[in-house]
Amino acid sequence: MKNIKYLLGIVLLTISTACSDFLEEEPYGVLSEEQLTTPENVDGFVTSAYAALGNDHYDIPFSLWPYGNVRSDDAYKGGSGTNDIQVFHFFEVSENIRTDFGELDAFWYNSFIAISRVNKALAALNQIDEVEFPEKSTRIAEMKFLRGHFYFMLKIMYKYVPYVTEDIPVEEYGTISNRALSNDDLWSAIAADFEAAAQVLPSSQPQVGRADKTAAYAYLAKTRLYQAYEQDENHNVVNINQERLQQILDATEQVIGMHQLEEDFAYNFLPGSFENGQEAVFSIQFSNNDGTLHGRLNYSDVLATPQGIGCCDFHKPSQNLVNAYKVNGQGLPLFSNYNESNLDFNSLENYRVDPRLFHTVAIPGLPWKYDQENIYQENWVRSPSTYGYTASLKENVTEDSEYLVNIDPFYGNSKNRIEIRYADVLLMRAEALIELGRQNEALPLINEVRERANQSTSLISSYATNTGISPYLDGENINWSQDVAREALRWERRLELAMEGNRFFDLVRWGIAGETLNKYYSEEAEEATYYEGASFDEGREEYLPIPQAQINFSQDVYVQNTGY
């Protein structure tokens, strides 16, 4: 036994000495960041930052469907029941929202991983000589655009987040307070990245998917739009800043005419040759059959596939949203009484509706995603007694599509996701004009969107025979005052952008989230009993709590949001 212990001691001493020597050696086959920061390799940092756009998961979706749609009056959570991803159920009913939710922590973490990739790329690009790497200025502008994109998402989700740039080492991220910048200053910081990007980026890019000048201006307009609605600490809108509204007009002016509306609304939500079309200002690029196991799929939205095709029947249009597509005899929205009775799917011929209903909502008995050979059935639905019979169409593809990929038990697809459409730009510009008291100038912009919607029947004409909407005609079918124009604009945003992740954030920006959602809860409880007891707490639930894990990581440098 003594000999064994003696030999073991010699071995341990030898290993310790060897480890000491080894740790002082540079490892073979490993490149440092300094070695990679060359003109030949620096684009790798840029590619890594772009890749972060799709580095999410079905329960950490960058498409924001649980936060922008399910938290609003547009969508039910779906799934097998209220316990299926229960955190999203709590968001849906605005109850039991806690600071320790893993989904919120993961969203924060993934977003800052993406920002750290952007900052690494910027730091590397700053070290490169532009003579040796002529794309340097363009790539820096692209990275500022991406940083703005990720910060915009964090801002509308959490309101107060730490703002870190390429000058701050990753290990010091936790030392920057999320209150170092005021609400307005943080918006300005995000806007500054888009502004800097817009000044440098080319009008078009040789490679599809890279940010260009119009994308930067569109995002700048969107940032200024949110910034214009000034909030107090309790998230009340206390002022609409006229200077910011003018900045929206300046930014959208750079986009107007550079893109166009698609001839048919449907074309924005189809794969293949329809992707990166004339209305797509900026899109997240996905792929399949690209040499990898499953391709680069849209993992944000895999859960929205109906159970009849795959899994898991989440993200389902609400009855309230369906009712909003009804129109009156003049082809205008039923502003005040749209929800007094439900649109009956079994008697569609009794209604006149906005064509966008059939591009947004899957209805039993009608073709699934325009496929006449594949009819959406009631038995495709997973939990009809809880969530009804609708399904979401925009993010889905046909059942036999080459873009649908089995990633058992889920079915993902490689269709691009448009982050900003030209229609959104037109409506942002119209909103700014209305709030500036120039509603007459907003009228043709809103009508441009409506007229395109009305003609969007090429793929649905065989089964949607009850469609028809009209433009707003001042003095004929409407009296176009500022208040009326504001209501029309807000309706148009809902109908045009439904299920695209915007609705809840629009309600918060306008300062009407509590009013709208508590009315919705009380009315919807008649259809979905789980809304009984739902209540939106104004001054608190407009934003999500700062994840407690992140507060702990910062050693209490981060400050929790009001009310949590």
Side-chain angles (χ1 to χ4, degrees), residues 211-227:
D212 62 21
K213 185 180 293 290
T214 53
Y217 274 120
Y219 246 126
L220 175 60
K222 195 167 188 177
T223 303
R224 294 303 192 192
L225 182 62
Y226 277 78
Q227 187 178 20

Side-chain angles (χ1 to χ4, degrees), residues 499-525:
M499 308 299 282
E500 295 181 48
N502 295 282
R503 175 66 172 170
F504 178 80
F505 305 116
D506 281 347
L507 295 176
V508 171
R509 183 176 78 252
W510 297 326
I512 61 171
E515 166 194 341
T516 303
L517 293 180
N518 284 322
K519 183 174 186 292
Y520 166 71
Y521 295 153
S522 64
E523 294 175 349
E524 201 71 17

